[in-house]
Amino acid sequence: MNQLPSDLTGSGPATVILPSRQTLPVVFASPHSGRHYPQELIEIARIDSFALRASEDAFVDQLFASAPKLGAPMLCATFPRAFVDVNRGALELDPRMFDGPLPSDADIHSMRALSGLGSIPRVVSGGIEIYKARLPVAEAMHRIDTYYHPYHSALRKLIDATRDQFGYCILIDCHSMPGDSVDSNKNRVDLVLGDCYGSSCHPSLTRFVEDRVRDLDFTPSHNDPYAGGFCTRHYGQPENHVHSLQIELSRSLYMNEDTITPHRGFDTLREQMTHLISCFHDLDGNPF
């Protein structure tokens, strides 16, 4: 396999892991599992490095790490979500956290920006403020240019190359959710499939994955409480032969959320996700 850079602690904005030969029409992406916390972030944060990890999809990249061995490329952000969130529009920015005027085309009215969860987050999960003081606008633009755009450039290249080879591409966007997540009926959920209410992929893809995870003894929720973020919506264009599905896994399945450490369920869940990845070999031609 080709792997650049060598691990998630490197200085590059993303790790691309390619199979020796791509045999699956699937790209796996983990945008929120980055755990290289820049010193510049730690120095200007009002919370400690442990608290900064509240928004991290810890270890999700490891849960899906078998993808390249099974014939699918994988993309992992190396930087943390608290620093730059690539699952947002590039200019979804909260003006309350910056010193100076934002670009005229900044999206300051989206729900995510208004809640402090834009591409440069103001808060971590739980609404806890990250910074001691306002950030210079130039700092936001630097992060977007240095981290956000390279991640999306790499993802676009993987998607285009996969579609060129197979005639279509499936993007699986891999995430985790708090262990106490509940659906709209207040039922606790362990696994959520988000297809943006049917707009980001062909319905047969959602059914295919839903059937496979049911075989693994999960009872998946569909778009509730998570229907899919920016990456799912932006890249999911079934009319252009790109189908995107978001998978959210409950952290209680595999980690101790109080200490951010894997527990004994981690190996089981990793094996289950490996089995799920291998099931994509069952797709016959272009089923969409």
Side-chain angles (χ1 to χ4, degrees):
M1 289 184 296
N2 299 316
Q3 182 173 331
L4 296 172
S6 60
D7 58 42
L8 281 176
T9 63
S11 58
T15 295
V16 177
I17 310 173
L18 301 174
S20 56
R21 184 172 70 90
Q22 187 171 351
T23 57
L24 289 175
V26 190
V27 172
F28 289 85
S30 181
H32 290 159
S33 59
R35 48 191 174 269
H36 175 60
Y37 284 77
Q39 187 62 32
E40 62 194 91
L41 171 62
I42 294 172
E43 289 176 354
I44 61 177
R46 63 191 302 169
I47 55 178
D48 61 28
S49 56
F50 187 85
L52 282 171
R53 299 190 68 186
S55 296
E56 182 184 319
D57 284 349
F59 315 115
V60 164
D61 58 309
Q62 296 178 21
L63 292 171
F64 290 87
S66 63
K69 294 180 181 178
L70 293 171
M74 185 167 185
L75 173 68
C76 308
T78 60
F79 51 88
R81 180 185 190 181
F83 189 59
V84 178
D85 190 343
V86 294
N87 201 27
R88 301 288 184 262
L91 293 179
E92 281 190 274
L93 298 168
D94 182 351
R96 293 170 294 178
M97 64 180 294
F98 298 107
D99 184 14
L102 292 169
S104 59
D105 55 345
D107 183 1
I108 63 174
H109 299 297
S110 77
M111 291 182 60
R112 291 167 295 276
L114 292 172
S115 61
L117 294 171
S119 58
I120 310 296
R122 177 174 55 83
V123 299
V124 293
S125 294
I128 301 171
E129 296 272 349
I130 296 175
Y131 296 101
K132 300 173 184 175
R134 289 176 176 244
L135 296 178
V137 171
E139 170 64 17
M141 297 302 104
H142 169 73
R143 293 188 197 179
I144 290 168
D145 288 342
T146 306
Y147 297 89
Y148 183 98
H149 288 312
Y151 178 90
H152 281 280
S153 177
L155 182 55
R156 171 54 67 189
K157 289 177 181 178
L158 291 172
I159 290 172
D160 289 348
T162 299
R163 182 174 54 182
D164 289 346
Q165 179 178 344
F166 295 93
Y168 70 107
C169 176
I170 296 169
L171 170 63
I172 302 296
D173 212 43
C174 307
H175 295 262
S176 70
M177 59 186 173
D180 59 359
S181 295
V182 296
D183 63 18
S184 54
N185 294 317
K186 305 302 181 183
N187 296 314
R188 190 160 173 170
V189 293
D190 288 334
L191 190 151
V192 183
L193 302 179
D195 61 9
C196 300
Y197 303 103
S199 66
S200 67
C201 67
H202 194 280
S204 62
L205 173 61
T206 305
R207 289 195 298 269
F208 175 84
V209 176
E210 182 174 355
D211 288 345
R212 302 293 85 74
V213 297
R214 287 187 185 277
D215 291 342
L216 294 168
D217 294 326
F218 290 103
T219 301
S221 178
H222 187 200
N223 292 319
D224 185 9
Y226 302 103
F230 172 80
C231 292
T232 308
R233 296 193 312 273
H234 179 72
Y235 292 103
Q237 300 178 10
E239 68 279 10
N240 292 323
H241 310 293
V242 179
H243 306 267
S244 183
L245 184 67
Q246 178 176 287
I247 295 180
E248 294 269 0
L249 298 171
S250 172
R251 293 170 194 153
S252 64
L253 295 172
Y254 70 94
M255 64 176 278
N256 183 321
E257 294 177 80
D258 292 330
T259 60
I260 316 181
T261 55
H263 60 51
R264 60 184 180 181
F266 179 87
D267 289 340
T268 298
L269 186 58
R270 181 172 54 186
E271 290 173 4
Q272 290 171 317
M273 293 304 101
T274 297
H275 179 77
L276 175 62
I277 295 166
S278 68
C279 287
F280 283 100
H281 285 289
D282 297 337
L283 293 174
D284 185 16
N286 185 344
F288 312 118

